[in-house]
């Protein structure tokens, strides 16, 4: 599966932004999907995940209650709704497709990343 993230940009703290990740191929619905981010000088970190069939979700504590991950299998698209972003959310955001145990997903496919900059 090939992934392409989009929707990044400059947003004010407290605003909102929605990221999208378009997937090619017919197998999108069979993958658990995740969003990750990497800020300058920091390691890549997990943001959120959504299950393939049940659409159960999981979030990093730092974004819980502010970000919402969702998917539309009919459109082969993954979303990340970012509400009330903070300057510390500034990073390059990546979408990824994975399989395996829900608590230990193995992500084998990655999008190219989209830059999100949150101004204070």
């Amino acid at each position: 599966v090939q992934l392409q993230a989009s929707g990044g940009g400059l947003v004010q703290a407290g605003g909102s932004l929605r990221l999208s990740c378009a997937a090619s191929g017919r197998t999108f619905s069979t993958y658990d999907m995740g969003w990750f981010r990497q800020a300058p000088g920091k390691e890549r970190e997990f943001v959120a995940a959504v299950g393939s069939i049940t659409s159960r979700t999981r979030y990093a504590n730092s974004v819980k209650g502010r970000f919402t991950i969702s998917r539309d299998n009919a459109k082969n698209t993954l979303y990340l709704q970012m509400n009330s972003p903070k300057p510390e959310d500034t990073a390059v955001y990546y979408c990824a497709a994975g399989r395996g145990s829900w608590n230990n997903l193995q992500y084998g496919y990655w999008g190219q990343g989209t830059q999100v900059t949150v101004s204070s």
Side-chain angles (χ1 to χ4, degrees), residues 3-119:
L3 305 172
Q4 185 164 355
S6 62
L10 177 65
V11 60
Q12 283 192 330
S16 64
L17 193 67
R18 189 176 79 161
L19 306 183
S20 299
C21 175
S24 64
R26 302 179 180 179
T27 60
F28 173 76
S29 63
T30 68
Y31 286 93
D32 296 313
M33 299 296 297
W35 285 100
F36 291 76
R37 66 187 182 187
Q38 187 167 20
K42 295 187 177 180
E43 293 188 352
R44 185 173 61 193
E45 64 175 359
F46 168 79
V47 176
V50 60
S52 59
I53 302 300
T54 66
S55 291
R56 54 182 166 175
T57 57
R58 183 159 53 94
Y59 295 92
N61 287 335
S62 59
V63 306
K64 197 174 296 183
R66 300 187 297 119
F67 292 7
T68 302
I69 188 172
S70 63
R71 65 191 299 162
D72 186 335
N73 287 339
K75 295 183 178 180
N76 279 7
T77 304
L78 174 73
Y79 302 101
L80 184 68
Q81 179 68 43
M82 303 172 62
N83 293 333
S84 300
K86 305 174 182 179
E88 51 264 42
D89 294 320
T90 295
V92 177
Y93 283 72
Y94 299 89
C95 55
R99 284 178 172 156
S101 170
W102 176 243
N103 291 320
N104 188 29
L105 289 170
Q106 302 299 308
Y107 292 93
Y109 301 93
W110 294 82
Q112 86 288 1
T114 185
Q115 175 71 46
V116 173
T117 303
V118 184
S119 63

